[in-house]
Amino acid sequence: MNPALTQFGTQMSHLTGVRAIMKDIIETLRAGSGQEFINLSAGNPVILPEVEQLWRDCTAELLASAEYGEVVCRYGSSQGYQPLIDAVRDDFNRRYGLSLTDRNILITPGSQSIYFYAANAFGGYTAAAPGVRGGSLKHIVLPLSPDYTGYGGVSLIPEAVIACKPTLDIDAAAHRFKYRPDFSQLSIDETSGCVIFSRPCNPTGNVLTDDEVKKIAAIASVFDVPVFIDSAYGPPFPALNYTEMTPIFGDNIIHCMSLSKAGLPGERIGIAIGDEKIIQVLQSFQTNMCIHSPRYGQAIAARAINSGVLADIGVNVIRPYYQSKFDVVETTLEQAMPKDLPWFLHRGEGAIFAWLWLKDLPMTDWEFYQQLKQVGVILVPGSSFFPGLREDWRHKQECLRISLTATNQEIETAMKRLAKMVEKVYQVDLSPV
């Protein structure tokens, strides 16, 4: 059977970003013919014993409670499971001195769904005015590129997603760099529908400063443009920030969270916190799309937040685990990489990845990825992480994402192999003709 697809059907049936690359990675692993690979492509969090035990304990409490039947055997509110809404409201009011009410919170099936709702509720073509043919295009603005690859697939109108080229803060002597938003290039105006960015950032680990976030929000506020801050790696849970950072709240800011990196990726729990008018739009979108989020995960999450254990585990277990992995990447590259070649590691400020820039790489990132597979190392080519950036920029094909989910020994071995491959490919390019 080969049914005809609509315009939206065609768009949504295509894989985007890393999901497209993962198909090649899976095929590579299956066809390895006995070759062992060190797979540093994964975005799946490591199952840490303390984290797994927390969710086991919360599950046991739920199973023993009188509310179990209500949780799993009945439909619920589209807004979310009330005890979880209450837990988030009380925790954030106490922790950050806010005055949230229930109406400021929405629970969704993962944070990716929040950005899908937002991108299509506020981005895309507007309704045409009476007597006017066609509406105007409202853009989904990504103020710092590279950013989360999933933003490339959130809009049903692909041309609505636009990204801004960053400035590069480079420390050549230390082989380090950091992306910063280029406010001279950032355009948020009456053509903008919404703004989305991650903090800490997947894939780079970059953390926008408080001042940068406030400046973006202030520019957007002039045009009543909502700003969705993707805090899937931010505090208070999972608290995967390695530098001091404070969640920023404001009238036009929607603080978006996920419990995936806090140990519940399989349960798909996203949390949106913001102005009740924006929350209501997102809730209506959710009602039409999937009725409500799964309630089992919400029920155990409410227990974990109310007890304070989830926030404690984030700071004392999850964060140090991944930060130590980044230290292995950093130390090994410093020791193994050629000092005279232009390689730069992005400053490790958060998330569960390291980001490597190979300036003037003599091949594309995809070709280098293929070369690394020959020595048993799988990384993710960086060009997938520039959704919406239409400018022809060589930098987009000079970067690699390194997952911090392997063992210390695997990461160290992989970085040494990578260093040898870097030296090899640059020597080939620099050799006399």
Side-chain angles (χ1 to χ4, degrees), residues 236-380:
F237 18 81
L240 272 164
N241 53 300
Y242 313 142
T243 185
E244 285 296 321
M245 65 166 283
T246 305
I248 305 297
F249 302 92
D251 291 344
N252 67 324
I253 292 176
I254 297 84
H255 181 79
C256 307
M257 301 164 56
S258 166
L259 297 188
S260 292
K261 301 310 184 287
L264 286 183
E267 290 308 306
R268 313 307 304 132
I269 299 177
I271 304 169
I273 303 173
D275 180 89
E276 63 179 273
K277 292 181 181 178
I278 301 297
I279 294 297
Q280 183 58 55
V281 169
L282 302 178
Q283 181 181 336
S284 296
F285 205 115
Q286 175 160 282
T287 304
N288 289 319
M289 183 173 177
C290 62
I291 304 179
H292 62 70
S293 305
R295 283 157 58 85
Y296 160 74
Q298 295 186 66
I300 63 174
R303 285 169 163 76
I305 293 171
N306 281 329
S307 68
V309 176
L310 183 57
D312 180 70
I313 279 181
V315 171
N316 296 308
V317 176
I318 301 175
R319 177 194 290 167
Y321 178 86
Y322 289 104
Q323 190 166 11
S324 70
K325 300 293 182 182
F326 183 86
D327 292 343
V328 174
V329 171
E330 189 171 43
T331 300
T332 307
L333 289 179
E334 285 178 347
Q335 295 170 350
M337 288 286 273
K339 300 292 188 290
D340 58 338
L341 292 181
W343 63 271
F344 302 94
L345 182 66
H346 195 284
R347 297 201 175 279
E349 298 178 334
I352 64 172
F353 307 103
W355 181 259
L356 183 64
W357 170 32
L358 302 175
K359 187 175 185 293
D360 300 326
L361 181 66
M363 57 184 64
T364 67
D365 58 328
W366 178 264
E367 291 167 336
F368 189 73
Y369 154 80
Q370 299 291 353
Q371 291 291 315
L372 283 176
K373 288 197 299 185
Q374 299 305 310
V375 294
V377 176
I378 297 178
L379 304 179
V380 177

Side-chain angles (χ1 to χ4, degrees), residues 131-143:
V132 177
R133 187 177 179 181
S136 60
L137 180 61
K138 290 283 190 177
H139 292 115
I140 298 108
V141 180
L142 312 181

Side-chain angles (χ1 to χ4, degrees), residues 159-170:
E159 64 268 27
V161 180
I162 59 171
C164 302
K165 183 178 174 182
T167 60
L168 277 60
D169 186 351
I170 303 172

